[in-house]
Amino acid sequence: MLCYVDHHDKAYEWAERRKLEVHPQTRAAQLVEVRETVQEIVIPKYVEEQSPKQRLFQRCTDADLLSWGVPEDWLGDVRNATEDSILQLTDHLPAEASEALLEVAVGGWPAAKPADSTDPFEHPDAQRRFQVLANSEALQMALDAPWEKWITFLHPDQRDLVEANQTGPFRVSGSSGTGKTIVALHRAVHLARVHPEARVLLATFTEALAHSLKDKLNRLISTEPRLSERIAVHSMTSFALRFVDKSADALELLGDDALTELMERASHSVQGHTFGLAFLVSEWTDVVEASDLISWEAYRDVARLGRKTRLPEAQRKVLWTIFEAVRTELSNKHQVTESGLFNHLVREIGNRKRPPFEFVVVDEAQDISLPQLRFLAAFGATVPNRLFFAGDTAQRIFRTPFSWKSAGIDLRGRSRTLRVNYRTSHQIRRQADRLLGKAVSDVDGNVEDRTRTISVFNGPLPTVKECSSSQEERSTVVNWLGELLHQGYKPHELALIVRSTNEFPRAHEVAADAGLNFVVLDEHVAATPGKLSIVTMHLAKGLEFRGVAVMACDEGIIPSDERINSAGDASELEEIFNTERNLLYVACTRARDTLLVTSGGSGSEFLADLL
């Protein structure tokens, strides 16, 4: 049995403080830290007179604690735990016991762990710690595997989701770091394994995330190369372009800037209106194309959900005249916007006898658009196991909210929330969660309760500092980098994250002052050994680093004045604030161990929520 690897003295020290035993109630094998004898300390009278801290587990019986996997030797310590000592205590307990106690501490009540009287190493809790190897070849493969291979570990609860048969579309949600992407990866591989003739699409919403998924998938199935032939990894847009290339129509995709120019020309061609360009583009994108409106009657009668600017029929008629001019030019040039592309494919896929993929797994599903979702629904929204989504509503940073049910995807009774955070320390997760509410809901009323999310490890408290100037901010971040490097952090384990490319010069100055080479991450560039990473908040999605400094959180930068000024109505303004808040949340939760958030002058209003 291989239990622990370290230098001689440290290995013996580890072994002296632990024993391997079978839990008396759950019957799972556990490595239990031997409880050290604590000398009674005489407390001065003035301390005794202070109000004692409330013990967190007074209402829990020994049977409750044992049913959650708490070792017998630690029952007394658990009963005495307060909010000041709980985090130190859980560091010494088996993971399943720590997670249960933290859930109780935040108001939850865990289910009892199932007892298994057969092999203690086959219990789901034991499988989180022990891997039984049948022969020396399996051991050698495990020892030779790259470290990255181990990050694809599945918790038993996650494995249940991966292998379950679903009667229709299914969604896995959860806060940052709870393993949604890992579940999505394993789900795609599982479907390919159990359906040897099937083709599986693993999709996400940006090219950067698609590259990251492809890299992780290659690590996961490195010993099964034939699976890669049947699992395709694409961004939604790149897949759609491949799909349309094989159809009879060859369409040119129109970018956002080109659409704005086209809308401006169409607006000038219609006299006597006062609609701003930003409003016209958002009305086209969020109403006309989102709902695939192709006639005046359809636009006249559509319920503009989420759009608080009321439009009487006369104004809609003027708007439709502008939009008709846009539609005509797009048609004449055989061009299509991204939303228009998916609307086109929804109609085209109905002519196919067989869908291009038997199964579709979508990661970061919170940011796919309504036309994209309708396209996925057209694959077969009622076919068992065909559609599987993973995402977090609180990390929606690209799209406006909409009803999934209206797109043909009904998730009632078919969703699960992951609650165990493996990537981000308890301190960082708790502080980042202050940017959000205790619960996040979607348009269809599905609620994700975030209060019961727990992290499995501790770290230092995040630092939030509003500096008086950009020079002070630069000095603060340089000193922070120097301290981490002194502690043994490697440059590629650290990142500077800013709102947009406009703030890159400030990050470059920090790297220069710190004497560090750096790499600017884009959709194709990954972290480089020996180099500090600099990246925007949007492109940081899906990345993680041991240490992160979120810089330039100034008033006017986040939330962005440019976006605020472009708001067409009160509803759109509210949505901008929500997505900007989500954006800062995403940036903060890229940090695993240590987080610094700074401004260089007047700080963002969001910083007060972090404190």
Side-chain angles (χ1 to χ4, degrees), residues 293-302 312-321 324 327:
L293 306 178
I294 59 175
S295 69
W296 152 243
E297 290 76 17
Y299 181 62
R300 179 193 62 197
D301 299 334
V302 71
E313 183 172 330
Q315 288 184 318
R316 292 197 189 200
K317 187 67 176 178
V318 174
L319 285 168
W320 188 252
T321 303
E324 271 285 84
R327 287 174 52 83

Side-chain angles (χ1 to χ4, degrees), residues 392-411:
D392 176 15
T393 304
Q395 295 186 63
R396 180 177 50 78
I397 57 178
F398 288 94
R399 308 292 185 190
T400 55
F402 58 85
S403 168
W404 281 43
K405 188 177 178 182
S406 70
I409 303 292
D410 189 353
L411 296 171

Side-chain angles (χ1 to χ4, degrees), residues 317-343:
K317 187 67 176 178
V318 174
L319 285 168
W320 188 252
T321 303
I322 298 172
F323 297 150
E324 271 285 84
V326 172
R327 287 174 52 83
T328 299
E329 185 165 346
L330 288 173
S331 177
N332 290 341
K333 294 183 177 180
H334 221 51
Q335 293 176 325
V336 66
T337 64
E338 182 183 289
S339 295
L341 171 65
F342 285 98
N343 289 332

Side-chain angles (χ1 to χ4, degrees), residues 407-423:
I409 303 292
D410 189 353
L411 296 171
R412 290 175 299 177
R414 289 195 291 264
S415 63
R416 279 276 300 277
T417 300
L418 300 173
R419 302 194 182 280
V420 182
N421 186 308
Y422 298 96
R423 186 184 69 209

Side-chain angles (χ1 to χ4, degrees), residues 381-586:
T382 60
V383 179
N385 295 318
R386 177 155 291 178
L387 299 178
F388 187 95
F389 301 93
D392 176 15
T393 304
Q395 295 186 63
R396 180 177 50 78
I397 57 178
F398 288 94
R399 308 292 185 190
T400 55
F402 58 85
S403 168
W404 281 43
K405 188 177 178 182
S406 70
I409 303 292
D410 189 353
L411 296 171
R412 290 175 299 177
R414 289 195 291 264
S415 63
R416 279 276 300 277
T417 300
L418 300 173
R419 302 194 182 280
V420 182
N421 186 308
Y422 298 96
R423 186 184 69 209
T424 305
S425 74
H426 173 79
Q427 289 74 11
I428 292 174
R429 178 195 57 77
R430 182 174 59 180
Q431 202 141 341
D433 279 350
R434 294 176 184 173
L435 290 165
L436 312 170
K438 293 183 178 180
V440 179
S441 60
D442 62 19
V443 173
D444 293 323
N446 298 306
V447 179
E448 298 173 19
D449 181 4
R450 309 176 75 84
T451 59
R452 296 172 59 193
T453 301
I454 55 176
S455 297
V456 299
F457 67 96
N458 292 309
L461 287 171
T463 299
V464 180
K465 185 171 182 180
E466 294 187 54
C467 301
S468 60
S469 65
S470 59
Q471 290 80 8
E472 183 187 351
E473 179 189 40
R474 187 167 68 207
S475 176
T476 298
V477 181
V478 168
N479 292 337
W480 176 82
L481 288 170
E483 178 60 29
L484 293 183
L485 293 171
H486 179 72
Q487 294 175 19
Y489 284 66
K490 305 299 182 185
H492 61 271
E493 296 174 328
L494 305 173
L496 306 180
I497 301 180
V498 292
R499 170 65 179 80
S500 70
T501 56
N502 295 332
E503 291 75 56
F504 272 169
R506 291 166 67 169
H508 295 171
E509 290 174 351
V510 166
D513 287 357
L516 291 174
N517 293 324
F518 65 86
V519 58
V520 175
L521 305 187
D522 60 21
E523 292 185 345
H524 306 286
V525 178
T528 303
K531 292 186 178 181
L532 174 73
S533 294
I534 296 176
V535 62
T536 64
M537 292 182 180
H538 284 93
L539 289 180
K541 189 74 189 72
L543 303 178
E544 64 176 274
F545 303 89
R546 288 189 65 195
V548 167
V550 184
M551 291 182 54
C553 296
D554 300 354
E555 181 182 0
I557 291 179
I558 185 164
S560 165
D561 275 351
E562 183 179 355
R563 288 197 66 201
I564 291 173
N565 294 334
S566 71
D569 54 29
S571 175
E572 190 172 354
L573 181 62
E574 180 182 2
E575 175 57 22
I576 288 171
F577 270 91
N578 288 338
T579 55
E580 292 285 300
R581 186 180 291 273
N582 291 352
L583 193 57
L584 182 56
Y585 171 80
V586 167

Side-chain angles (χ1 to χ4, degrees), residues 112-423:
K113 299 291 181 180
D116 190 338
S117 60
T118 55
D119 187 342
F121 292 98
E122 291 297 321
H123 191 283
D125 286 339
Q127 291 181 358
R128 301 171 62 168
R129 292 178 285 273
F130 301 100
Q131 175 66 50
V132 179
L133 303 176
N135 50 53
S136 58
E137 289 77 14
L139 173 61
Q140 190 62 50
M141 286 180 63
L143 295 177
D144 289 344
W147 172 250
E148 291 82 0
K149 183 85 172 184
W150 293 88
I151 67 173
T152 56
F153 159 81
L154 276 182
H155 181 286
D157 290 345
Q158 295 171 329
R159 186 170 296 281
D160 289 344
L161 294 174
V162 166
E163 298 178 354
N165 283 316
Q166 307 296 348
T167 58
F170 190 86
R171 180 170 66 186
V172 172
S173 61
S175 63
S176 176
T178 51
K180 301 179 294 298
T181 295
I182 298 302
V183 169
L185 282 165
H186 279 268
R187 177 67 174 179
V189 172
H190 169 75
L191 292 169
R193 282 176 179 153
V194 299
H195 300 278
E197 304 301 320
R199 297 159 297 171
V200 181
L201 173 63
L202 180 57
T204 188
F205 70 95
T206 69
E207 287 298 322
L209 290 173
H211 283 290
S212 178
L213 277 178
K214 189 172 296 185
D215 184 50
K216 289 182 173 68
L217 178 67
N218 289 338
R219 294 171 185 168
L220 183 59
I221 60 173
S222 59
T223 60
E224 303 172 90
R226 290 191 176 182
L227 285 181
S228 64
E229 299 173 3
R230 293 188 291 111
I231 303 176
V233 184
H234 295 291
S235 70
M236 287 295 299
T237 301
S238 69
F239 166 68
L241 289 172
R242 289 170 179 262
F243 191 83
V244 78
D245 283 344
K246 297 177 181 179
S247 70
D249 299 314
L251 299 173
E252 178 189 350
L253 185 64
L254 195 70
D256 292 341
D257 292 341
L259 172 62
T260 301
E261 293 177 6
L262 174 56
M263 189 67 67
E264 187 172 22
R265 290 196 300 271
S267 173
H268 290 159
S269 69
V270 177
Q271 302 299 318
H273 72 85
T274 59
F275 297 113
L277 183 59
F279 173 80
L280 290 172
V281 172
S282 64
E283 182 77 2
W284 169 267
T285 302
D286 298 335
V287 178
V288 176
E289 288 205 306
S291 300
D292 194 19
L293 306 178
I294 59 175
S295 69
W296 152 243
E297 290 76 17
Y299 181 62
R300 179 193 62 197
D301 299 334
V302 71
R304 300 168 64 255
L305 297 177
R307 308 284 286 182
K308 293 185 179 179
T309 300
R310 298 186 62 185
L311 291 176
E313 183 172 330
Q315 288 184 318
R316 292 197 189 200
K317 187 67 176 178
V318 174
L319 285 168
W320 188 252
T321 303
I322 298 172
F323 297 150
E324 271 285 84
V326 172
R327 287 174 52 83
T328 299
E329 185 165 346
L330 288 173
S331 177
N332 290 341
K333 294 183 177 180
H334 221 51
Q335 293 176 325
V336 66
T337 64
E338 182 183 289
S339 295
L341 171 65
F342 285 98
N343 289 332
H344 170 81
L345 292 178
V346 168
R347 294 186 286 270
E348 198 274 340
I349 198 173
N351 300 324
R352 294 190 172 218
K353 296 180 179 179
R354 181 185 179 191
F357 292 94
E358 280 71 30
F359 303 103
V360 180
V361 178
V362 182
D363 190 33
E364 303 292 354
Q366 75 280 348
D367 274 312
I368 61 175
S369 66
L370 178 55
Q372 289 173 346
L373 193 62
R374 277 201 303 265
F375 174 56
L376 293 174
F379 274 66
T382 60
V383 179
N385 295 318
R386 177 155 291 178
L387 299 178
F388 187 95
F389 301 93
D392 176 15
T393 304
Q395 295 186 63
R396 180 177 50 78
I397 57 178
F398 288 94
R399 308 292 185 190
T400 55
F402 58 85
S403 168
W404 281 43
K405 188 177 178 182
S406 70
I409 303 292
D410 189 353
L411 296 171
R412 290 175 299 177
R414 289 195 291 264
S415 63
R416 279 276 300 277
T417 300
L418 300 173
R419 302 194 182 280
V420 182
N421 186 308
Y422 298 96
R423 186 184 69 209

Side-chain angles (χ1 to χ4, degrees), residues 590-607:
R590 300 311 94 195
R592 173 178 171 83
D593 300 322
T594 183
L595 171 67
L596 172 67
V597 183
T598 63
S599 67
S602 182
S604 165
E605 61 189 271
F606 295 158
L607 296 187

